[in-house]
Amino acid sequence: MAQGRRERYKGGMSTIKRSAATRLHVLIMDPSFYGGERPGSTRTFTICRELTHTGHHATILTAPSDQPTKQDDGGGFTILTTGKIVQAQFGHPMSARARRSYILRAFWRIWCITDVDIVVVVDRPLLILPVAALFCAVRGVPLTIDAYEGMPLSTSGSPPGQRVLTWIVRAIYKHALRYARRIFVQSAHVQTSLITSGAAAEKIVEAPTGCETLLLRPSSDANGNAAEANAPAIRGPVVAYAGHLGANDAVDAVIDIAAKMQSLSPNVAFLFYCDGPGRREFEARALKLGVLNKNVWVLNPVPRARLSQILAAATAMIGRNQNDSVSAPSRHVFDALAAERPVIFLGENPHRDLVVGRGAGITLPLQDAQAAAHELSDFLSNAGGLRRARQQAAALAAGRLNTARITAEIRSAIESTVEEAPRAAVARRRMLRTKRAIDIFLSLGALIVLSPVLIGVAIAVRVKMGAPIIFSQERPGLRGKLFRIYKFRTMTDAMGAARAALPDSERLTPLGRFMRRTSLDELPELINVLKGDMSLVGPRPLLPDYLSHYSPEQWRRHDVLPGITGWTQVSGRNALTWEEKFALDVWYVDNLSLWLDIKISLKTVLVALRGNGVNAPGCSTMPRFDEIMARREGAEDA
């Protein structure tokens, strides 16, 4: 199968075109994306793999690395890089310089990506969130957040400058939570933190990192041997750790337990494949207690593709301490379960209760190294207990915590989010908001600029026809809601001998005919536009008496605000039949766009100057639609 392609940005335009087989185009923003050829989490990669294997296309906007990045074996996703090359340092946070470079360049790079249906963005670095939110707002696509760490911690006891900065980043995060349509959380602690911070519970989807059973399931040689993983030759039980070490991972307690194990079970080896801010302290502590390279070995981390060797060689795996202040996902716990290895927890961990409750691990007391060493020694020497713990670990990995199931739920949530807010519907709503803003600006400006004309016409009406100057009448507007329309008066109140109003043709004055031909009588409707009852462009508001005679298709003309001018007015006006006028109105509703409004506005000027279509053939105005329908219905009844 064709390999996915990699594209480096050089300042030119890049257009990702959707193939016929691809249903959605998902943009994923993750500066640390990679596919398993170096240590670390492959969560974004597994999500991309799930999306592409179900027919979607994914574009990953990431930071370029000095390490190769695995491509999709089916060519289903595209990797775009932006920013300066980041040196791959497992366990160490991305440098501030690299974060700034990625965010600034992503801000420009992202606009070159087209046909996006949804955006998935990780929540670190924090300033990536406003970039993604702005893109979604402008493009009219939904935003989803993959919350690795959750809300930034408060720094109430810090210097004023740092407190202000923390307040700003927390405000950014809270705004992103409100704007996002879905939030994927990797632990119960992150979920609680986000809900406490104001995130809507219905938006949150629990999606742990997951167990990659296909990658890490034990081979036929389930015991393996440590030498295959660049470890020292060891004959006894192996307690291993594979992952990064943070500054608050209870490293002192681990070394203390290992020191006590030297006298209880000298054949037990502790292997740490790790890196990160806590590694130096860890090694220093091991050296001080005399266990480094005796029963404790600190080794370099390995790529995920080779991780199965380490897991197969281990008797049990260590789950590092993660208290409430540490909310990053516990990748190492899921790796242990995927390899059917029990987990030895040291203190708090967001997944401890689930794993220990199922019998797939134990928790050691951190405050008493001697008691912890005894408990660990008993656990490792109990062959039956180890076998049962492995069975429970395998059951968890294959069921509730399986990566395939979790990524399928993420993919399903992405699909449902797009279904709830399809790009066409969102774009239409956004266009209507823009149209309303233009209406307010232009109607207010027109009332100011045309005020001399308005005053002149008002005086002419008052002199020629008397009071009132303004004619007002109820008309149906958006969704048929009645409002009062304002127009300059064009007819007199002349009545016949029976005190009944004369026909329109007899009451219409020469001034009225001129105002109708030039559309001057419509100018007061600018007030209706400013109030929000009407738009500058839209189907004309007709009489309420017509509503009961509309067909379901004709009723759709009320799906948008009525207008001063419209597609019907520039396509024949009153020279058209009612059926033709309604068909043109519905066509406008279905094809509404700002460019169409501009076209109608320009044509309106020409129609007004020419005075075409003011009257229906043989009439001074236009026959009433309800009277025509009544005659038709009467004929049908007869």
Side-chain angles (χ1 to χ4, degrees), residues 90 138 205 207 269 459 550 608 634 637:
F90 173 68
V138 173
V205 178
I459 294 173
Y550 288 151
D637 292 341

Side-chain angles (χ1 to χ4, degrees), residues 229-423:
N230 289 337
I234 297 169
R235 294 186 177 87
V238 174
V239 178
Y241 175 83
H244 81 274
L245 285 178
N248 300 312
D249 289 342
V251 290
D252 291 351
V254 177
I255 300 301
D256 291 344
I257 294 171
K260 299 297 182 182
M261 288 290 290
Q262 280 188 313
S263 58
L264 290 174
S265 300
N267 62 332
V268 174
F270 293 83
L271 304 183
F272 290 83
Y273 297 85
C274 62
D275 200 353
R279 174 170 173 167
R280 183 173 298 179
E281 179 187 352
F282 186 91
E283 289 183 292
R285 180 70 176 175
L287 181 62
K288 180 179 179 181
L289 293 183
V291 296
L292 187 63
N293 297 330
K294 293 184 179 179
N295 70 335
V296 174
W297 284 267
V298 182
L299 307 167
N300 291 328
V302 298
R304 295 190 63 75
R306 291 183 52 217
L307 186 57
S308 58
Q309 300 176 37
I310 293 174
L311 298 171
T315 308
M317 299 295 292
I318 293 176
R320 64 186 172 91
N321 177 63
Q322 285 188 284
N323 57 33
D324 288 346
S325 65
V326 182
S327 54
S330 305
R331 171 77 269 174
H332 52 287
V333 172
F334 295 101
D335 292 344
L337 297 175
E340 303 177 8
R341 293 299 183 265
V343 184
I344 311 300
F345 288 101
L346 300 163
E348 297 293 330
N349 190 285
H351 311 291
R352 184 190 66 181
D353 292 344
L354 172 63
V355 176
V356 175
R358 286 288 298 270
I362 61 172
T363 301
L364 300 182
L366 285 179
Q367 304 303 322
D368 190 341
Q370 186 67 38
H374 277 286
E375 191 170 339
L376 178 58
S377 179
D378 293 341
F379 180 74
L380 295 176
S381 62
N382 185 345
L386 286 174
R387 183 174 60 255
R388 288 190 295 273
R390 287 183 178 181
Q391 291 172 349
Q392 292 301 317
L396 276 175
R400 179 174 178 179
L401 301 178
N402 188 269
T403 292
R405 184 189 68 80
I406 292 170
T407 53
E409 290 179 352
I410 292 174
R411 184 255 307 158
S412 178
I414 289 173
E415 292 171 342
S416 63
T417 302
V418 176
E419 289 175 4
E420 293 169 6
R423 186 163 34 138

Side-chain angles (χ1 to χ4, degrees), residues 12 163 176 200 238 272 489 627 634:
R163 288 202 301 271
V238 174
F272 290 83
R489 187 177 173 206
E627 293 177 355

Side-chain angles (χ1 to χ4, degrees), residues 25-34 44-45 47-48 51 58-63 78-82 94 99 101-111 113 116 118-136 141-148 414:
H25 181 192
V26 183
L27 171 62
I28 303 178
M29 301 181 69
D30 182 357
S32 302
F33 172 83
Y34 66 101
T44 300
F45 176 77
I47 292 174
C48 290
L51 289 169
T59 296
I60 302 94
L61 188 60
T62 186
T78 306
I79 299 174
L80 305 179
T81 59
T82 188
M94 195 176 185
R99 288 198 303 270
S101 175
Y102 173 77
I103 293 167
L104 290 174
R105 299 197 184 197
F107 180 79
W108 298 110
R109 181 70 177 96
I110 193 172
W111 304 105
I113 306 172
V116 175
I118 190 170
V119 174
V120 180
V121 59
V122 298
D123 65 349
R124 294 297 189 276
L126 287 166
L127 291 181
I128 196 176
L129 294 175
V131 173
L134 177 63
F135 176 82
C136 291
V141 298
L143 172 70
T144 59
I145 299 176
D146 195 6
Y148 276 56
I414 289 173

